[in-house]
Structure formats: C-alpha cells, structure tokens
Amino acid sequence: MLIERKEERAVSKTKARHMAAYTAFVAPAVLFFILIIVIPFFRAILFSFQDWNGISSHIRWAGWSNYTKLMHDSGFGKSFVFTFKYVIATTILLNVLGLLLALVLNMALRTKNVLRTAFFLPYVIGPVIIGFIWQFIITGLFPEIGKATGLALFQKNWLSLPDHSFWSLVIVTVWHSAGYFMVIYLAALQGVPKDLLEAAEMDGAGRYLRFWHVLLPLIRPAMTINLFLAISNGFKAFDLNFALTRGGPFGTTESLAYHIYLDAFAKNLFTYASAKAVVFFLVLASITLVQVAAMKRREVEL
C-alpha cells in the first residue's frame, strides 16, 4: 500500500510539473492574445453601437444607427466591390501560378534549390517596402521602358488610371506572395506516393490524366489551405494598398481595410468605422467558413 501511494504521489507530482511547464509556456501567448485580439474585438463591437469621435470624454449610445447609416454608404459599397474583385483575381492567379511553379520545381532540375529561393525571396520582404519599390518601378522605370521600346502600355502612368492601378496591385501581390503558395504546393506534391503515379503510368495514363485524377485529388488539403490564405489575405489587404496606390485614383482602389482605416484615423469616425469592421469580420468569416467546409468535403485522405 505504501509503495502504491508513493507511486501515485510521484505520478501526481510529475503531472503537476508538466502542467506548470505547459502553463509557463502557454500563458504568455494566451495573455497577449486576449489583450491584443479578444478584448479589442469585443471593444469594437461595443463601439459599433456608440457615437464617439475618439477625443471627447462623452460617449453617446447610438444603437443600430451606425449600421443603418452603413447601408447607404456608397464609399463602403465601392470599396467592397473593389475588394471582392481583387480577392477573385489574386486568389485565382496565386493558386494557379503557385501550383505551376511547384510542378516545375518538383522535377529533377539542377537549379531547383536556387529557383525555390529566388521565388520565395520576395515574400520575406515586407509588403510596405515592396509597395514603395514597385511605386518607383511603375512611375520611374516603366516610362523609360516605354520610351526605349515604343510600347504604349509602358508609356502610361499605371497608378493614375483606375483599371491599370487595379492590375498593378494584383500583379505586385502575385509577385510578392506566389513563392509562399508554391512552397505549400511543393510540400504537398512531394508527399504524394510515387507508386500511385507509377501505377497510373503503367495503366496508360498520360501526364494530364495523372495530374487530374491522381495528383490533384491528393493535394486538395494544400489547395484548401492556399485558398483560405488567398481569400483571407485578399480581404484583409492593407499594406500594399497603402504603400502603392493609397486608394487612388479617386478612391477606385480603396480596399475595405484601408477604407475602414481612413474612417477611423483620418476622419475620426471611430464608432462608425467599428461598425464597418464588424460587418467586414462577419462577411470574411462567412466566406472563409463556407470555402473551408466545401473544400474539406472533397479532400482525399491517405
């Protein structure tokens, strides 16, 4: 009996030590998550039902007036349409280009390691820096290319034309993030069993059939992740929008995140911006949940 009790005490002490170690490591992260994410989130929900300019000590209860006002806000609707178009364009291009790069670099190339580094390197640089670099390229270098080649496309100021500025944002986003999507697809491709591909080849399946019926179903978990990342990052786009176009020309490239930022910190409409942020969160959460649920049903488990 004494031996059993000693063993139980030793086990309980070990569990207590493990629990203390887990708490010591996890508690700081949980604390910062609550302070930086959870509390501001619920604070924003509370602000959305109030009327406050961020300066006055008096905060008035506004009820649903911020949300009803939002229904007639043409600027919010315009930024939502732009963001939706931006998300569709970047999601398609990032996943197509990322998958193509992964398929090429999954081959037995001598320079594949160098190419992987080269394609992934832009993602390491901050989006704000990328935005300023590309602003210089578009406004300073493109006109010189236009003069040297005579191409009318490069002789225009892309950032002063609505359609061109939209595609400028899309091109820079794809150039910046395609390498990250490539790495995820490449990891999924390298996890596909080679015997399945060899069996399909022996059965007479060509490259297209092997890709469509073997590779594509087996890398759907990676597609789920990349689609989720592309959609969520597209809706939350702010850094490149701020650094490259600043919402111009005439607000035609104003993303939802940048639009809310301007309302809150340029116009001092904190509570109205909070209402927009809450609606933005609900839209983004709904779209991503539906996308993940739809893709999860089609995944193949090995």
Side-chain angles (χ1 to χ4, degrees):
M1 290 293 290
L2 289 173
I3 295 173
E4 290 179 359
R5 287 178 182 175
K6 287 181 179 179
E7 289 178 353
E8 288 176 0
R9 288 175 185 171
V11 170
S12 62
K13 285 181 180 179
T14 304
K15 287 182 178 179
R17 287 196 199 103
H18 288 167
M19 186 59 67
Y22 296 151
T23 304
F25 281 106
V26 174
V30 173
L31 179 63
F32 281 112
F33 178 77
I34 292 171
L35 291 174
I36 297 172
I37 304 295
V38 176
I39 292 176
F41 173 74
F42 287 106
R43 186 74 172 168
I45 295 175
L46 179 62
F47 273 144
S48 69
F49 292 100
Q50 296 175 336
D51 183 14
W52 183 50
N53 61 5
I55 300 172
S56 174
S57 59
H58 177 68
I59 301 176
R60 187 176 65 86
W61 184 258
W64 293 94
S65 62
N66 286 324
Y67 291 97
T68 54
K69 183 181 175 183
L70 191 149
M71 300 288 289
H72 306 286
D73 191 333
S74 60
F76 182 74
K78 195 159 114 179
S79 64
F80 183 84
V81 171
F82 164 78
T83 304
F84 197 73
K85 286 163 53 181
Y86 174 80
V87 167
I88 292 173
T90 53
T91 299
I92 293 172
L93 291 175
L94 280 171
N95 281 277
V96 171
L97 184 60
L99 181 56
L100 288 175
L101 290 174
L103 287 169
V104 172
L105 296 182
N106 196 38
M107 299 176 183
L109 300 175
R110 290 182 180 179
T111 58
K112 63 181 180 181
N113 292 328
V114 176
L115 291 173
R116 288 175 189 176
T117 304
F119 289 132
F120 184 76
L121 192 60
Y123 190 77
V124 179
I125 307 171
V128 174
I129 299 172
I130 292 293
F132 287 127
I133 291 171
W134 273 92
Q135 189 181 58
F136 168 75
I137 291 171
I138 292 170
T139 57
L141 186 60
F142 277 16
E144 297 300 323
I145 295 174
K147 288 179 185 177
T149 60
L151 294 174
L153 179 64
F154 291 103
Q155 293 175 1
K156 300 174 183 178
N157 185 354
W158 286 21
L159 301 183
S160 64
L161 301 171
D163 291 337
H164 289 67
S165 57
F166 170 79
W167 286 109
S168 298
L169 273 172
V170 171
I171 290 168
V172 175
T173 301
V174 173
W175 177 84
H176 176 250
S177 302
Y180 182 73
F181 287 76
M182 174 203 72
V183 169
I184 296 174
Y185 278 126
L186 188 59
L189 288 171
Q190 291 180 346
V192 174
K194 291 183 179 180
D195 54 349
L196 292 178
L197 295 172
E198 292 172 358
E201 188 176 3
M202 290 177 66
D203 288 339
R207 286 186 178 180
Y208 173 78
L209 290 176
R210 290 201 303 272
F211 170 76
W212 191 258
H213 295 288
V214 180
L215 276 177
L216 204 59
L218 292 176
I219 64 170
R220 277 201 178 125
M223 292 177 65
T224 302
I225 295 169
N226 279 342
L227 283 172
F228 170 79
L229 290 173
I231 291 171
S232 60
N233 290 339
F235 270 105
K236 294 184 294 183
F238 174 82
D239 300 2
L240 278 175
N241 197 220
F242 173 79
L244 189 61
T245 65
R246 290 187 178 270
F250 310 110
T252 53
T253 60
E254 200 172 271
S255 67
L256 272 173
Y258 188 60
H259 176 80
I260 294 169
Y261 164 81
L262 289 177
D263 273 0
F265 300 104
K267 302 176 184 177
N268 289 333
L269 301 173
F270 287 96
T271 52
Y272 186 44
S274 296
K276 290 183 178 182
V278 171
V279 173
F280 179 30
F281 166 76
L282 292 174
V283 171
L284 178 57
S286 302
I287 291 173
T288 51
L289 285 173
V290 170
Q291 176 261 315
V292 171
M295 290 296 295
K296 280 287 183 183
R297 290 197 196 100
R298 300 178 65 86
E299 286 182 8
V300 176
E301 293 185 3
L302 292 176

